[in-house]
Amino acid sequence: MSATNLLLVTLGLALASFAYGRSRAYSVARLHGGVRSMHSLPSHYGMMVALWCALPALAIIVGWKLFEPAVVSSFLHDYIPQSVYEAGEKSVDLYKNDIGNLVDSHAIADIQDPEKKAAAQQLANLQHTSSLALVVLALAAAIAGASLALKRIKANTRARQNVEKIVHFFLISCASIAILTTLGIVLSVLFESIRFFQEVSIIEFITGTKWSPQTAIRVDQVGSSGSFGAVPLFLGTMLISFIAMVVAVPFGLMSAIYLAEYASRPVRNICKPLLEILAGIPTVVYGFFAALTVAPALRSFGATLGLSVSSESALAAGAVMGIMIIPFVSSLSDDVITAVPQSMRDGSYGLGATKSETIRKVVIPAALPGIVGGILLAVSRAIGETMIVVMAAGLAANLTANPLEAVTTVTVQIVTLLTGDQEFDSAKTLAAFALGLMLFVVTLCLNVIALHVVRKYREQYE
Amino acid sequence: MNTAIANDTIDTSLIQRDPVKDSAQEAFHKLTETVGTPTVENAKMRSRDVNVFYGEKQAIFDVNLDIGNNEVVAMIGPSGCGKSTFLRCLNRMNDTIPSCKVTGNLSLDGEDLYGADLDPVLLRARVGMVFQKPNPFAKSIYDNVAYGPRIHGLSSNRAELDDIVVDSLRKAGLYDEVKDRLDAPGTSLSGGQQQRLCIARSIAVNPEVILMDEPCSALDPIATARIEELIDELRQNYAIAIVTHSMQQAARVSQRTAYFHLGKLVEVNATNDVFTNPQHELTENYITGRFG
């Protein structure tokens, strides 16, 4: 029986024991004079039986599957020829791997080498025994658990607390999966970065102003020495994000104020969804909009003014990214502005303030924490945005603050470092992890600052 | 078939009817003129034949009521009787509700409130308002009080503004409690203090009339007593109209009392007369607690 089938059978058993446990609880309740005389509802007893049935079996299945390969391969020890052992540990692993693949693809009969064939046969036998043992153990555990729980269906058994405690642990484990995954990603990025920093000094990475990640593949290769100064990348990211925010914050905030304070209900009902459609456009579409429409337009406009605008410019990418971010800023700001209580506006009107005075001096300050939060969310979106920049801002790591020149960002460089055929132990590819780590640290700092700012305002004004 | 016959034969005279309610209803339907004296000599604010509509629904019917100088007029009546709506007509706060329409004549010192050349923003600077729930702005205590003077440009420098703020807080009886923490947020005060802050805020723009919409309904008895004391002091300088659900409060703070019922102004008289010798049956029912 495969693991999937075993899981299905276990679940089926759990369902059946739920139904049986519940009906058992009903009959016990009848003896005691009604459901109210039991501590918990019949469905709680059913749940209790089902959980007692499923959980031990699931634990056995998971544990078995975790440890099975190691145990089985240790049994394989005697079947591996001496010559392989002599060739070192790596070749033993290779040999075992080979046998495993042969067994998995049901190709034992085709093996020519008799020693190998014997080993593969042994492995197949072991796996068969193991899976049989697993089925027997798991089903036995399920049935034992269920029957134990069935015995506990009594008027004074606290089945509800029992079930709720298990649900509680289930919720905790769900929450920790998200946290552990994040932790895992951070750690893997961290370790790869440490490998990178063993080859390139961290000082050079942080303070270097030249980014040219091509390293020599052959020893005698000329030219591609590789230099990993990340400053141009971070400056490029900051420049483009800054341009995006310069576009997104005023437009987003103004449109939020219009929608929340001035627009009539029908206008609002039409405009708000329309604005939010902007957020639904894939960024790659914005990318070619930026590359094919905005950048040439900027270039020809710059030419009329006598400015030289490169065909891929930070301005084009930043402006389009800003347009993409407008709905974030406006939607979040609109929500917080609408949430400012009407009584505060009334108070201001009651003092003879005009509508614009009320908005500027009462509503916006009251909504500020939420607005700042929305803007910071937009900033992290801008920093992480890749597609538009790849298409419209170019790949050249120029160290410049001129928005009319081509620049590149951290995310774009990560993409170019890792796409295509790459070897995963060169400084070039490892640099991507270091960049990722730096980006993570920067956004983390930004979020911490944002939370701090927002909380400070909250304390003061709520 | 049988049930239909049974229904026909029910003797409706057996259903118990509430004699108080019945006669009150009759009295209300007959009501066309307000009982008592709604007008005063030298009135600060006058209203004549005021009707207010929310969309199709009429909320106020032909109300005539004057508010004199240096007097407190209390408006009482059961919930939904239109007293708050009427109060909000007096400084055109109803303008913020799109479906609201006001007809009739309202004036401040003889100037038509709904006239073409009257700016509601300027009107509200002259007719201040204190709301049911304390609504300090998300600003410091100082900035809350300074808000009005700043937008109206009442001071030319910081020292003058300081004077206005301190003076308003003193008049509202709050200065001694907050003088060491004028920079603290207005929302950090207790409910009663917040309401006094809101009163200080309205005083700061130097209005001529102060409207109060149930200013004590969210406060405890001690804070309420402070506010009532304050209202009595403020009467020396301002005309005050106050909406309240508490008849004791109306009796304590006001000189005249107006009783509203389902959008009609039933009775207006000197407060003492209204509570000791009500002229109209509805008023009597209300103040004796038979309904409302």
Side-chain angles (χ1 to χ4, degrees):
Chain A
M1 199 187 290
S2 78
T4 323
N5 287 343
L6 185 58
L7 274 178
L8 287 178
V9 169
T10 315
L11 287 181
L13 271 177
L15 271 180
S17 43
F18 172 77
Y20 185 60
R22 197 176 55 168
S23 71
R24 179 74 166 269
Y26 271 117
S27 42
V28 171
R30 219 166 292 129
L31 290 178
H32 286 80
V35 172
R36 296 299 300 273
S37 65
M38 307 282 283
H39 173 270
S40 309
L41 292 172
S43 62
H44 286 134
Y45 290 101
M47 272 307 276
M48 182 179 80
V49 178
L51 287 169
W52 276 68
C53 167
L55 288 181
L58 286 178
I60 286 177
I61 295 172
V62 171
W64 197 276
K65 285 290 165 197
L66 276 180
F67 295 110
E68 187 186 31
V71 175
V72 166
S73 94
S74 76
F75 277 116
L76 222 53
H77 210 269
D78 300 339
Y79 287 82
I80 294 171
Q82 199 57 41
S83 59
V84 176
Y85 278 114
E86 281 158 10
E89 203 166 310
K90 258 190 178 165
S91 69
V92 174
D93 286 343
L94 208 64
Y95 194 80
K96 281 180 179 172
N97 221 346
D98 196 16
I99 296 174
N101 287 337
L102 286 168
V103 171
D104 285 345
S105 54
H106 305 287
I108 303 172
D110 304 339
I111 305 172
Q112 305 300 326
D113 183 355
E115 275 183 330
K116 209 174 210 177
K117 192 167 186 175
Q121 196 61 52
Q122 174 67 11
L123 180 63
N125 289 343
L126 279 172
Q127 282 183 351
H128 184 68
T129 323
S130 152
S131 73
L132 258 183
L134 173 60
V135 169
V136 172
L137 259 178
L139 293 186
I143 291 165
S147 48
L148 257 177
L150 278 172
K151 283 220 180 84
R152 293 189 57 204
I153 297 180
K154 291 177 197 141
N156 58 359
T157 302
R158 303 187 154 218
R160 179 167 54 79
Q161 276 87 337
N162 213 315
V163 169
E164 274 166 4
K165 203 178 276 172
I166 293 171
V167 169
H168 185 96
F169 278 111
F170 177 70
L171 294 178
I172 288 178
S173 52
C174 284
S176 43
I177 281 176
I179 295 168
L180 289 177
T181 314
T182 317
L183 207 67
I185 292 173
V186 171
L187 284 181
S188 82
V189 170
L190 186 68
F191 285 126
E192 298 296 328
S193 307
I194 289 172
R195 276 178 67 193
F196 171 75
F197 289 130
Q198 280 163 355
E199 291 181 34
V200 177
S201 96
I202 190 164
I203 308 290
E204 189 205 326
F205 181 71
I206 292 177
T207 59
T209 56
K210 188 165 183 297
W211 178 262
S212 155
Q214 292 303 330
T215 46
I217 296 173
R218 299 188 314 274
V219 183
D220 56 342
Q221 201 173 354
V222 191
S224 298
S225 56
S227 63
F228 297 93
V231 172
L233 305 189
F234 279 94
L235 272 183
T237 305
M238 271 150 66
L239 179 63
I240 289 186
S241 304
F242 176 75
I243 295 170
M245 296 324 286
V246 165
V247 173
V249 170
F251 285 104
L253 203 54
M254 302 289 167
S255 68
I257 291 171
Y258 172 72
L259 285 178
E261 297 286 331
Y262 290 99
S264 65
R265 188 168 285 274
V267 173
R268 186 182 150 87
N269 285 350
I270 294 168
C271 284
K272 215 181 168 203
L274 272 182
L275 202 60
E276 276 159 9
I277 287 176
L278 274 182
I281 298 174
T283 56
V284 68
V285 176
Y286 280 109
F288 62 69
F289 171 62
L292 300 181
T293 312
V294 178
L298 277 176
R299 192 180 154 86
S300 58
F301 180 69
T304 61
L305 294 180
L307 292 168
S308 82
V309 183
S310 68
S311 58
E312 292 178 319
S313 66
L315 187 59
V320 173
M321 196 194 280
I323 292 169
M324 180 193 82
I325 289 169
I326 286 174
F328 281 87
V329 178
S330 90
S331 193
L332 287 166
S333 310
D334 179 64
D335 288 345
V336 287
I337 289 173
T338 321
V340 172
Q342 181 62 32
S343 68
M344 237 182 228
R345 296 187 180 89
D346 284 349
S348 174
Y349 293 141
L351 291 170
T354 62
K355 190 154 190 166
S356 86
E357 281 165 343
T358 303
I359 292 167
R360 273 186 290 124
K361 294 181 175 160
V362 175
V363 177
I364 298 294
L368 203 60
I371 292 174
V372 170
I375 289 174
L376 285 164
L377 210 69
V379 171
S380 32
R381 178 80 205 253
I383 289 178
E385 175 52 42
T386 316
M387 215 57 226
I388 295 174
V389 191
V390 170
M391 294 169 90
L395 300 172
N398 291 331
L399 183 63
T400 176
N402 181 358
L404 305 178
E405 277 181 45
V407 296
T408 190
T409 66
V410 177
T411 51
V412 167
Q413 285 307 312
I414 293 176
V415 169
T416 51
L417 290 175
L418 288 183
T419 45
D421 289 338
Q422 306 286 356
E423 44 179 343
F424 257 79
D425 51 357
S426 76
K428 187 187 162 197
T429 40
L430 289 175
F433 290 99
L435 286 177
L437 183 70
M438 288 290 286
L439 202 59
F440 173 75
V441 170
V442 169
T443 33
L444 187 73
C445 289
L446 210 66
N447 284 356
V448 169
I449 293 169
L451 276 177
H452 183 74
V453 168
V454 169
R455 197 171 301 146
K456 204 175 161 198
Y457 271 109
R458 285 260 157 80
E459 275 169 1
Q460 225 169 341
Y461 292 139
E462 265 177 30
Chain B
M1 196 64 192
N2 283 337
T3 50
I5 293 166
N7 275 342
D8 284 340
T9 54
I10 284 178
D11 185 356
T12 47
S13 66
L14 289 179
I15 296 172
Q16 278 288 325
R17 303 196 63 137
D18 180 348
V20 174
K21 227 174 188 170
D22 271 4
S23 76
Q25 244 157 24
E26 212 174 292
F28 178 71
H29 287 303
K30 275 192 282 184
L31 180 75
T32 49
E33 286 262 306
T34 301
V35 180
T37 47
T39 58
V40 294
E41 297 275 310
N42 303 324
K44 185 75 191 165
M45 298 196 85
R46 284 184 198 283
S47 53
R48 294 289 177 268
D49 301 320
V50 172
N51 288 285
V52 181
F53 303 85
Y54 289 120
E56 294 288 300
K57 193 175 161 283
Q58 187 164 8
I60 299 276
F61 298 82
D62 297 319
V63 169
N64 297 297
L65 183 63
D66 286 356
I67 297 161
N69 279 310
N70 305 334
E71 73 164 354
V72 178
V73 177
M75 302 176 190
I76 59 171
S79 293
C81 69
K83 52 196 189 306
S84 288
T85 299
F86 179 72
L87 193 76
R88 290 167 69 95
C89 290
L90 295 175
N91 67 345
R92 294 190 56 176
M93 279 303 281
N94 282 336
D95 288 14
T96 58
I97 303 165
S99 66
C100 181
K101 196 172 131 259
V102 181
T103 65
N105 188 282
L106 286 135
S107 63
L108 172 65
D109 286 337
E111 197 179 340
D112 184 6
L113 294 193
Y114 283 81
D117 53 345
L118 186 127
D119 185 349
V121 168
L122 298 179
L123 169 68
R124 291 185 200 128
R126 292 171 67 193
V127 184
M129 189 153 200
V130 176
F131 296 84
Q132 180 171 3
K133 239 184 93 194
N135 55 352
F137 302 135
K139 297 177 187 298
S140 69
I141 294 171
Y142 184 94
D143 288 338
N144 259 286
V145 182
Y147 179 79
R150 274 184 181 140
I151 58 175
H152 295 296
L154 297 185
S155 60
S156 52
N157 56 44
R158 179 79 188 193
E160 272 180 48
L161 191 61
D162 285 348
D163 286 345
I164 295 175
V165 169
V166 170
D167 189 47
S168 309
L169 285 170
R170 274 224 176 87
K171 279 186 191 154
L174 188 61
Y175 183 68
D176 291 336
E177 291 163 56
V178 300
K179 63 182 172 204
D180 302 326
R181 49 180 177 135
L182 290 176
D183 290 335
T187 42
S188 67
L189 299 174
S190 72
Q193 288 173 326
Q194 284 188 17
Q195 194 62 300
R196 274 180 283 151
L197 177 63
C198 292
I199 292 174
R201 199 171 67 180
S202 350
I203 296 172
V205 290
N206 204 13
E208 297 156 39
V209 183
I210 301 177
L211 310 175
M212 298 184 173
D213 191 354
E214 296 177 40
C216 302
S217 63
L219 305 183
D220 69 50
I222 295 166
T224 302
R226 289 293 316 259
I227 304 265
E228 286 177 2
E229 231 170 81
L230 177 61
I231 292 172
D232 204 49
E233 286 163 23
L234 293 176
R235 183 167 65 90
Q236 311 307 322
N237 301 310
Y238 308 97
I240 296 173
I242 175 171
V243 163
T244 176
H245 271 297
S246 156
M247 280 173 276
Q248 291 87 339
Q249 183 171 65
R252 283 192 298 261
V253 299
S254 70
Q255 282 69 53
R256 288 197 304 142
T257 297
Y259 173 67
F260 283 75
H261 189 95
L262 294 177
K264 292 182 184 175
L265 179 53
V266 176
E267 178 167 352
V268 189
N269 259 323
T271 298
N272 220 7
D273 294 339
V274 171
F275 285 104
T276 53
N277 183 22
Q279 303 292 307
H280 198 279
E281 191 182 352
L282 285 167
T283 318
E284 189 182 351
N285 286 342
Y286 183 69
I287 62 171
T288 53
R290 251 179 281 185
F291 67 73

